[in-house]
Amino acid sequence: MRILALRVAGFGPYRAEQAVDFRRFDDDGIFLISGRTGAGKSSILDAVCFALYGDVPRFERRESQVRSQHCGPADPSEVQLDFQVRDTVYRIRRTPRYERLKRSGSGTTTAEPEAELAVLEGEAPRVVATRPTEVGIALAELLPISKDQFLQVILLAQNRFQDFLLAPTDKRRDLLRTLFGTDRFQRLEHDLLERRNALAAALAATATELAARAETTAELVGTEPPTEPGHEWFERLAKESAAAAVAADAAAAAARARLETAERALQEVLRVQALQIRRDDARRRTERLTGESAGVAGTRARLAAARRAEAVHPPSAALALATETLAAARAALAEALAALRRFGSDGAAQPGARIEALLTLQGVLAHPRAVEAALPQRRAALSAAEQAVRTAVDAVPALEARIAALPARIAALDDALAALALTAAQAPAARAEVTALTAALEAARAAATLAAEVDTARRTEAAAATSAGRAAAGLDSLLTARVAGQAVELAAGLSAGEPCPVCGSAEHPRPARGAVTVGPAEIEAARADSRRAQEALAQAATAVTELERRLATISAAAAGQQPDAVAERLAAAADRVREADEAAARLATVRAERAEAAAGAERLAAELATARERVVATTAALTERRAEVEHDLEVVAAACGTSPTVAARADAVQAELDAVRRATAATSDVRAGEAAAAEAAATLAAVLTEQGFADAEEAAAARLDPATETALDAAVRTHEQALAAAVAVLAEPELAALPEEPVSPAPLLAERDEAAAEFEAAVADAGGRRDRARAVAANAKAAVVLIAASGDTAARYGEVRDLAATVHGDEPNTRRMRLETYVLAAQLEQIIAAANLRLARMTAGRYALDLDDERQHRNVETGLGIGVRDAHTGLVRQAASLSGGEMFLASLALALGLAEVVSAQAGGIRLDTLFVDEGFGSLDAETLDTAMAAIDDLRTGGRTIGLISHVESMQERIPAKLAVEVLPTGDSRVVQDAPEAPALRGAAPG
């Protein structure tokens, strides 16, 4: 990665727009950013970090501090960075959240954070992401290192300079994994562990299933399972269970034979017993039926008399009916004659002539009666015609008024349609805003909660850092005292005539005197305290990093918005959605009303013409109805005579006609009834003589009702059939040979029940043994398969387990070094080798970095530790025990070595730009010369190094410079001899 150009406005101390073109330093390879303290040198690097990560190393996400305090509400705040990854040049533009002037009206409003990423190709940049979240995702693919890693290998900011040197193993491994792309070894380790776990689970499952089958088999056969059941144990139990099942089947067959013999004997005794019961019952029924024969003979005689009386009943009933009919005809004749007398008619003497005259009068009255009956309908039609005329006349003004009101109605509907369409068109945008704001509100609330956790974790980290620094300083003091007291310790071991272990002289004229104040045990105790403090610091830093990573993810999703503001915007957007939906629902109704109103003019005109025509037609119909009613009244008046109505006169004629007809019919009925009664009496006399009855009353007394006759006849037949059946049973041959004494089946029944119980027990036992034998055989077969399979699985598990343990850094890996760590240790070894070439020159050979691949605290992991070997003592020190200047030199050497090795690796992230922010002021002149010479060596290969320092001697050493000046107004500016470039605002698309 190479940093090309930077533009800032309203950022840090820079109120006005500032431009920095780093490409002008490519030929020099090294440049200095100078200026007095507080001028804004580090703010240039802050802007680079803010552009890439939306955060700055010094403010730790206190985003409000990145906006320049010199800005007013009208001043913009934004950062634009051009950088190159491989052969592609990108431009990123980012703005923080700040208060700006409203675009309309007075006052200010909060400008939300913005971000945009573009590819610089051709004449116009090509935008690839336009929102902070999208930009973060795209940058993660282009530059797959976190902000903390960026600050360790590219931008060595203040207070973060020594992070890579002091980082614990896990953080150092994460950075190296990203830089060298060794995550494939991590995936290999993960795959091996998963395969090991899968094989272990398979072995455990096999052992569990085998134990379960052994326990089941033992329970089936009633024994205890062995500790490690083998296939011989299963096969032996299967053979024993099969033999027991065969023996049980034989016992069941013998029990079945005994049961069948007992059953046959019992059935024979039961058959004889049933025949004896049948014979005794037939004897009893024969005796009873013979005693009932006399009563049955009397019933037969009664049935015969009843059958003869049935022949007399029809003529007797016919005579009664004829007599009754004659009496009714005589009564009807008397009633008809009385009615004729009421009419004063002579119809009884000459009924034919009177009927003809009455029929003629009915014909004359038929038409007037019909006209009279239709008069109410005629009058109703006349009233309807009068109402129709009034309705037709009233409809004309109403239609004329509706036609006159249509133009204004159509204009009002057009206005309503335009307003509704405008409101409804906002629905898609409002819904999209609701969706986005809902997600942003959830993220903003989560970010607010997580921010508090981050603050707590940072305080914990700060406390751990203080403890670690205090422990490191204590160890350094003890080491210094130890070195100072070594002369006394050596002098105590000198003997006269023995050579000095330091100078080799056998004479010791002035041995050092004094007491040894610091011993090895104190050094080791202090070293252990320092190690524990460093581990606590590493754990606290890991917790902070994880929380920061989660907060960065959630903050990116929330785009830096506050929950209350997002909730307010969400409510407003929801209101707009509801208004748009209501407008859309109303739109169709109003359109239909508009179409109806537009089509109404022509329809109403046609209705008006029709209404006028209806007035003329109804008036003519009314005149016609009045003439018809007057004519009908004249016809009815002429036909009424003396009656009040034509209908009343016609009803009187019909009543007289009916009376004449009834009198004529009644006379004929009386004559016919007298003849029928005489004939019925003669027929009855003849039948009584034939059936042997003296009169009709005797015959009626002999008759029986059908139910009684049927019951008596059935009783006679039942008696005869029962007697015949009983006699037939006694005549059967097999009953004749039966013994007279009754037999008893009880003894044989008990014997049969005992045999049946024995058979059921034998069958149940045989079935259980067969089921047990099958279950034992199935378990044995499955167990043999499991035992064979577990052997193969165990062999594979042993191989994979050892390989996975070795790769994971467990036994038998005595170094406790994981595979990925082993690969990264080789890379770190190269980095340390490259760093030592410079560190040796910077420290005159005293210090060298040392790869520490020994076991760490609690034997958890090894391979990526870094110690500092002190040539004066021959011991390896912790880096935290170095002084400030020594720490700077070691960190600088390690950073330069890291940049050199990473850039040299094919396929890795090429580090073409390196920034170092301060630290040179802690070096003396000679050491500074040495450090500068080491940095100067790194320029080879096209890399560019930017140094930030206020040390005056460095300004003389480095000719290429950027100067940061403080203006009289308090804000700062960057001074460089660079050609003018396009203005920041609008330089990138969007």
Side-chain angles (χ1 to χ4, degrees):
M1 177 188 181
R2 180 183 294 276
I3 305 297
L4 302 178
L6 174 69
R7 287 183 178 274
V8 297
F11 185 91
Y14 304 108
R15 182 189 65 80
E17 180 181 315
Q18 306 295 317
V20 179
D21 188 356
F22 297 107
R23 288 168 290 197
R24 64 191 292 267
F25 304 118
D26 288 348
D27 293 339
D28 295 285
I30 187 170
F31 64 95
L32 178 68
I33 303 176
S34 63
R36 64 183 179 86
T37 301
K41 303 185 296 298
S42 297
S43 294
I44 294 177
L45 304 190
D46 291 342
V48 172
C49 191
F50 177 76
L52 293 173
Y53 296 98
D55 197 3
V56 295
R58 290 187 295 164
F59 298 152
E60 296 294 341
R61 293 187 179 86
R62 294 191 292 263
E63 188 179 43
S64 60
Q65 296 190 18
V66 304
R67 175 164 168 82
S68 177
Q69 297 180 354
H70 302 283
C71 289
D75 296 320
S77 283
E78 58 185 5
V79 174
Q80 176 180 294
L81 178 70
D82 294 351
F83 63 96
Q84 181 177 349
V85 177
R86 298 181 180 86
D87 297 328
T88 305
V89 178
Y90 298 89
R91 172 172 292 169
I92 182 172
R93 184 180 66 83
R94 195 183 293 270
T95 66
R97 179 186 289 104
Y98 66 96
E99 293 296 317
R100 62 167 176 79
L101 289 177
K102 291 183 177 179
R103 292 188 174 89
S104 61
S106 60
T108 62
T109 185
T110 301
E112 296 299 330
E114 298 178 0
E116 181 180 85
L117 178 66
V119 177
L120 301 183
E121 55 183 12
E123 296 181 358
R126 175 172 57 86
V127 177
V128 296
T130 57
R131 295 194 304 175
T133 302
E134 297 173 355
V135 169
I137 295 172
L139 282 174
E141 296 178 356
L142 293 175
L143 193 63
I145 57 176
S146 67
K147 185 200 75 173
D148 289 338
Q149 294 169 345
F150 181 80
L151 296 175
Q152 291 180 24
V153 299
I154 295 178
L155 197 159
L156 306 180
Q158 291 187 46
N159 302 323
R160 305 294 291 265
F161 192 77
Q162 69 274 16
D163 279 2
F164 184 62
L165 176 64
L166 300 179
T169 294
D170 53 350
K171 283 193 173 182
R172 189 176 291 123
R173 182 183 60 249
D174 291 342
L175 172 62
L176 294 175
R177 175 189 297 148
T178 301
L179 295 176
F180 295 105
T182 59
D183 53 346
R184 62 188 184 279
F185 298 105
Q186 185 184 32
R187 292 194 299 271
L188 172 62
E189 176 185 329
H190 180 266
D191 292 343
L192 284 172
L193 290 175
E194 283 193 344
R195 187 175 178 189
R196 180 199 66 186
N197 294 339
L199 290 172
L203 277 177
T206 300
T208 301
E209 184 177 356
L210 187 62
R213 290 190 177 276
E215 184 175 353
T216 301
T217 302
E219 184 178 354
L220 288 171
V221 300
T223 185
E224 290 295 328
T227 305
E228 295 183 359
H231 65 87
E232 299 89 354
W233 181 79
F234 281 101
E235 292 170 350
R236 175 175 60 80
L237 293 184
K239 291 179 181 178
E240 293 175 356
S241 298
V246 172
D249 287 338
R256 178 188 293 276
R258 290 194 299 273
L259 175 61
E260 290 174 352
T261 300
E263 185 67 33
R264 285 193 296 271
L266 175 62
Q267 292 303 321
E268 177 59 23
V269 171
L270 290 175
R271 186 186 69 81
V272 172
Q273 185 185 47
L275 290 174
Q276 287 179 332
I277 293 172
R278 189 162 177 260
R279 178 197 63 187
D280 296 342
D281 180 65
R283 285 175 178 174
R284 287 190 296 272
R285 284 187 286 113
T286 301
E287 293 174 358
R288 178 177 55 80
L289 292 172
T290 300
E292 296 174 354
S293 296
V296 173
T299 302
R300 289 195 188 96
R302 185 181 177 190
L303 285 172
R307 291 188 180 101
R308 286 187 292 107
E310 287 298 325
V312 178
H313 179 66
S316 176
L319 177 59
L321 178 60
T323 302
E324 183 180 353
T325 302
L326 177 59
R330 286 172 177 165
L333 177 58
E335 183 179 353
L337 292 174
L340 283 176
R341 284 192 294 273
R342 284 195 300 271
F343 285 107
S345 173
D346 57 354
Q350 296 179 341
R354 186 57 181 164
I355 289 173
E356 183 177 356
L358 291 172
L359 289 175
T360 300
L361 182 56
Q362 273 189 336
V364 172
L365 295 175
H367 174 66
R369 183 175 186 175
V371 170
E372 184 184 59
L375 268 177
Q377 184 177 0
R378 296 274 192 176
R379 289 192 176 98
L382 178 60
S383 298
E386 292 172 347
Q387 180 61 39
V389 170
R390 289 193 296 271
T391 302
V393 171
D394 293 341
V396 172
L399 288 171
E400 291 173 344
R402 290 175 62 190
I403 291 173
L406 273 178
R409 170 65 174 163
I410 291 175
L413 290 173
D414 287 338
D415 294 340
L417 279 175
L420 290 172
L422 180 61
T423 304
Q426 300 173 2
R431 284 194 179 89
E433 187 177 3
V434 166
T435 301
L437 289 174
T438 300
L441 179 59
E442 294 177 357
R445 288 172 175 168
T449 301
L450 196 57
E453 298 181 18
V454 170
D455 290 340
T456 302
R458 285 181 181 142
R459 287 193 294 271
T460 302
E461 182 186 21
T466 301
S467 299
R470 189 180 297 113
L475 177 61
D476 188 57
S477 298
L478 289 176
L479 289 173
T480 302
R482 172 69 173 165
V483 171
Q486 282 183 342
V488 175
E489 186 176 349
L490 290 173
L494 294 177
S495 300
E498 295 295 328
C500 176
V502 178
C503 63
S505 173
E507 297 180 0
H508 317 298
R510 290 189 305 276
R513 305 296 180 186
V516 178
T517 58
V518 179
E522 294 176 84
I523 296 294
E524 288 304 317
R527 184 175 284 112
D529 290 341
S530 179
R531 186 183 301 113
R532 283 191 294 271
Q534 287 296 328
E535 290 170 355
L537 176 60
Q539 292 174 358
T542 300
V544 169
T545 300
E546 176 61 21
L547 288 173
E548 287 176 345
R549 181 189 63 77
R550 290 170 53 196
L551 181 58
T553 302
I554 295 176
S555 298
Q561 304 178 78
Q562 297 301 317
D564 292 342
V566 177
E568 183 177 351
R569 292 172 58 196
L570 178 59
D575 290 340
R576 290 195 295 276
V577 170
R578 184 175 61 259
E579 292 171 359
D581 289 343
E582 292 173 354
R586 176 67 180 148
L587 197 59
T589 303
V590 176
R591 284 196 181 114
E593 292 177 4
R594 171 64 174 79
E596 176 65 21
E602 183 177 353
R603 185 174 68 253
L604 289 176
E607 290 180 7
L608 179 60
T610 302
R612 288 170 176 164
E613 293 173 359
R614 191 178 297 115
V615 170
V616 176
T618 55
T619 302
L622 176 61
T623 302
E624 183 179 354
R625 295 293 179 273
R626 283 175 178 162
E628 290 175 352
V629 171
E630 292 173 357
H631 176 266
D632 290 346
L633 289 174
E634 293 174 357
V635 171
V636 169
C640 283
T642 60
S643 299
T645 63
V646 177
R649 186 180 181 188
D651 291 342
V653 171
Q654 181 64 46
E656 184 180 355
L657 180 61
D658 292 341
V660 173
R661 285 174 174 167
R662 285 197 299 273
T664 302
T667 301
S668 298
D669 291 342
V670 168
R671 294 191 186 102
E674 290 174 346
E679 183 180 358
T683 301
L684 175 61
V687 173
L688 286 172
T689 300
E690 180 183 355
Q691 296 298 329
F693 291 105
D695 52 28
E697 288 73 13
E698 183 183 357
R703 287 186 70 226
L704 295 173
D705 62 84
T708 303
E709 183 179 356
T710 300
L712 293 175
D713 185 61
V716 171
R717 287 196 303 273
T718 299
H719 177 271
E720 292 173 348
Q721 292 170 358
L723 182 58
V727 173
V729 169
L730 291 175
E732 291 177 0
E734 62 179 351
L735 296 183
L738 290 176
E740 289 298 329
E741 291 296 328
V743 297
S744 175
L748 292 177
L749 181 61
E751 184 178 348
R752 193 280 311 270
D753 290 344
E754 182 180 354
E758 291 179 359
F759 174 67
E760 290 177 0
V763 169
D765 181 62
R769 290 182 181 275
R770 282 195 304 274
D771 293 342
R772 191 178 303 116
R774 283 194 293 269
V776 172
N779 277 340
K781 183 177 180 180
V784 170
V785 174
L786 287 173
I787 292 171
S790 64
D792 297 338
T793 304
R796 292 197 305 274
Y797 171 71
E799 296 173 356
V800 174
R801 178 197 59 202
D802 293 343
L803 181 58
T806 301
V807 170
H808 190 57
D810 300 328
E811 294 294 343
N813 184 342
T814 58
R815 303 288 298 178
R816 295 285 183 178
M817 185 181 294
R818 296 163 61 177
L819 176 61
E820 183 189 20
T821 305
Y822 176 78
V823 175
L824 291 176
Q827 300 288 354
L828 183 58
E829 193 172 14
Q830 295 183 35
I831 295 171
I832 290 175
N836 282 336
L837 293 176
R838 294 168 175 79
L839 185 59
R841 293 172 56 188
M842 294 178 188
T843 62
R846 177 179 179 182
Y847 292 114
L849 299 178
D850 193 30
L851 176 62
D852 182 8
D853 59 357
E854 294 300 323
R855 295 183 180 180
Q856 301 299 306
H857 180 57
R858 296 179 182 173
N859 293 335
V860 293
E861 196 172 351
T862 65
L864 298 179
I866 298 179
V868 180
R869 185 173 298 278
D870 189 343
H872 290 181
T873 64
L875 301 176
V876 176
R877 301 169 54 182
Q878 286 190 345
S881 67
L882 297 175
S883 65
E886 293 169 341
M887 179 78 72
F888 174 80
L889 294 178
S891 299
L892 177 61
L894 187 60
L896 298 180
L898 177 65
E900 181 177 353
V901 173
V902 169
S903 299
Q905 292 289 334
I909 300 175
R910 181 173 176 83
L911 307 180
D912 292 316
T913 304
L914 178 67
F915 291 98
V916 180
D917 186 1
E918 290 298 350
F920 298 96
S922 61
L923 305 180
D924 56 69
E926 182 180 356
T927 305
L928 179 61
D929 289 338
T930 305
M932 290 302 301
I935 292 175
D936 191 61
D937 291 341
L938 199 64
R939 292 187 298 171
T940 59
R943 282 184 293 275
T944 301
I945 302 174
L947 306 179
I948 296 180
S949 181
H950 61 279
V951 178
E952 294 183 1
S953 61
M954 293 188 67
Q955 298 185 27
E956 300 173 358
R957 298 169 184 271
I958 303 175
K961 300 182 183 66
L962 282 177
V964 180
E965 298 178 351
V966 179
L967 300 174
T969 55
D971 57 324
S972 300
R973 69 174 179 177
V974 178
V975 180
Q976 64 171 346
D977 297 329
E980 289 297 324
L984 175 63
R985 174 72 61 179

